Amino acid sequence: MLKVDVPTIELVDLPGIQLYPTDLYKQTRKLVNSYLQEEDTLVLCVVDATIPSLDSRIAVKMVRGSAKLPSTILALTKADLIRDEESIVEHIFERVLNRSKEMAELSSLAGCVAVVNRLHRDKVSLVEAEAAEEAIFNELFEDPAEAYAPKTVQQQLRQNTTTAQLIAKLDHIFSAHIKQSWILTVNSRHHDSDHRPGWGPGTQPRCSGSRNTS
């Protein structure tokens, strides 16, 4: 029987980084750094969309300092808790469109997607939650300011909101990572196998799973 190793994605839900107590801060920071230093790590960095400055988040600073931005998707959660028009523009529209000043240093991100808050006690199904989330963002996009009214801008906004779009972007960077890393490695080793005793057509090297950190 031919055994074939294929790339898989391993999801690792890391703890949020808290400043206090000091020991806990050091432990969680060290843990996150250990994943950020791995070549095959893909990052899902989850931050609160309601915060005034993304740069105030330690997780964002750590990702930026690790040269992992091209392998990182920023998820802006709790977008449904933002109500006033000015905050919607500043905290959601400008960020997902990569227009805000704070996004200048994060311009090489693989993506920035706004999603709504979902609690563990929510009793709705995933299908119902997806429909409800889409309805929330549709309401946000109604009667937008002139700068966000053009069809192309509306399309960009919709491509960078909802959990469905977030999943699509995660799938995209995972697929790109396979093409850029795993496939090249497999092809190279298969080529070398012709000249190595003990390597046959039914043997493939293992590929380490990509990891997700937040």
Side-chain angles (χ1 to χ4, degrees), residues 6-22:
V6 296
T8 59
I9 185 168
E10 177 187 357
L11 300 177
V12 181
D13 185 10
L14 296 176
I17 301 172
Q18 304 293 332
L19 291 176
Y20 302 101
T22 304

Side-chain angles (χ1 to χ4, degrees), residues 5-6 18 27 30 63 70 76 90 102 108 119-120 126 130 151 160 162 164 171 202 206:
D5 289 329
V6 296
Q18 304 293 332
Q27 291 172 20
K30 181 179 180 180
V63 171
L76 304 174
E90 181 181 350
E102 62 186 345
S108 58
L119 304 176
H120 292 294
L126 290 176
E130 183 176 350
K151 185 176 180 180
N160 291 286
T162 73
D171 180 67
R206 286 190 173 276

Side-chain angles (χ1 to χ4, degrees), residues 50-211:
T50 66
I51 60 174
S53 172
L54 293 177
D55 201 46
S56 66
R57 301 293 90 178
I58 296 175
V60 174
K61 291 180 180 179
M62 292 181 68
V63 171
R64 191 179 63 198
S66 68
K68 278 289 185 181
L69 287 177
S71 301
T72 299
I73 293 178
L74 186 65
L76 304 174
T77 189
K78 300 182 181 180
D80 53 315
L81 302 183
I82 302 174
R83 300 298 184 183
D84 65 283
E85 184 175 345
E86 183 177 348
S87 295
I88 290 172
V89 168
E90 181 181 350
H91 294 171
I92 301 177
F93 290 5
E94 289 291 282
R95 285 171 174 172
V96 301
L97 293 174
N98 201 20
R99 292 180 178 180
S100 65
K101 292 181 180 179
E102 62 186 345
M103 293 298 290
E105 295 184 354
L106 303 172
S107 59
S108 58
L109 278 169
C112 178
V113 183
V115 297
V116 305
N117 192 39
R118 190 177 185 199
L119 304 176
H120 292 294
R121 62 175 178 268
D122 290 346
K123 300 300 182 182
V124 297
S125 68
L126 290 176
V127 173
E128 293 171 322
E130 183 176 350
E133 182 180 45
E134 187 173 347
I136 289 172
F137 282 110
N138 284 338
E139 185 178 348
L140 291 184
F141 300 149
E142 288 181 1
D143 194 26
E146 185 177 351
Y148 308 97
K151 185 176 180 180
T152 53
V153 177
Q154 285 281 307
Q155 185 177 19
Q156 284 181 287
L157 288 171
R158 294 179 187 281
Q159 289 173 345
N160 291 286
T161 51
T162 73
T163 304
Q165 291 296 330
L166 175 60
I167 293 172
K169 290 184 184 299
L170 285 170
D171 180 67
H172 175 75
I173 64 170
F174 180 50
S175 297
H177 181 72
I178 291 173
K179 293 176 182 178
Q180 295 169 7
S181 177
W182 190 83
I183 291 178
L184 292 177
T185 301
V186 169
N187 288 340
S188 175
R189 294 188 182 183
H190 268 284
H191 176 74
D192 292 342
S193 70
D194 295 335
H195 309 284
R196 295 183 184 180
W199 280 64
T203 306
Q204 290 190 1
R206 286 190 173 276
C207 175
S208 58
S210 300
R211 293 187 173 90

